Amino acid sequence: MITVADGRVAETGMELPAEVRFTTTRQLVQYSGAAHDPSGIHYDGDYARSRGFDDVIVHGFLKAGFLADLATRWGGHGSWFVSLRARYQGVDVVGAPITCRGQVTDVDAAHHRVSLELWTENADGRRTTVLTGELQLTGKED
């Protein structure tokens, strides 16, 4: 039996609590600098529109970070990803709601790990970033 931060027992099919994030142009500029990603699509609206986007778009890896944060807080102090894979399937524009969701796909009680599928949804409910991974819970290792 594995319990997570809120005291519930982790079970296959269990949903993580959904969380809505909103980005700002300032946040994206700061992330662009930290990630060494100078593309104007992440901070210059005119440039982003000239490239075919509706507005400035959120970095895919930033959205992956939102999802990893959701999962490790759900797992509890000391949780960390043993493996993590990301697929970027669509864009999110600055300021629009980004809903972060997740579900347990497998429980490995012997190793105190859970497998997860995590995803972001845009304002239309379409998945834009999908992560799959294995989360080590409560700092316990093999």
Side-chain angles (χ1 to χ4, degrees), residues 1-5 7-10 75 112 137-138:
M1 182 169 72
I2 301 173
T3 57
V4 294
R8 294 185 299 156
V9 175
H112 218 69
L137 295 172
T138 63

Side-chain angles (χ1 to χ4, degrees), residues 50-125:
S50 78
R51 301 294 301 204
F53 299 105
D54 292 337
D55 201 349
V56 168
I57 65 169
V58 180
H59 302 76
F61 201 61
L62 179 58
K63 294 185 293 178
F66 292 162
L67 293 169
D69 181 56
L70 172 69
T72 55
R73 283 186 289 108
W74 170 82
H77 181 73
S79 296
W80 57 280
F81 277 95
V82 175
S83 64
L84 189 64
R85 290 185 181 97
R87 285 189 329 267
Y88 303 109
Q89 303 177 171
V91 299
D92 291 275
V93 295
V94 67
I98 300 170
T99 303
C100 301
R101 299 184 185 278
Q103 185 173 37
V104 176
T105 58
D106 191 39
V107 175
D108 180 353
H111 296 105
H112 218 69
R113 294 179 180 172
V114 294
S115 296
L116 299 171
E117 181 177 36
L118 306 156
W119 63 92
T120 58
E121 294 176 357
N122 66 13
D124 297 328

Side-chain angles (χ1 to χ4, degrees), residues 18-31:
E19 179 175 285
V20 178
R21 300 275 187 123
F22 293 89
T23 57
T24 64
T25 303
R26 178 185 176 106
Q27 178 185 29
L28 298 184
V29 167
Q30 291 171 328
Y31 188 84

Side-chain angles (χ1 to χ4, degrees), residues 34-58:
H36 303 286
D37 183 352
S39 176
I41 62 174
H42 298 302
Y43 59 84
D44 182 333
D46 290 337
Y47 180 74
R49 285 184 287 281
S50 78
R51 301 294 301 204
F53 299 105
D54 292 337
D55 201 349
V56 168
I57 65 169
V58 180

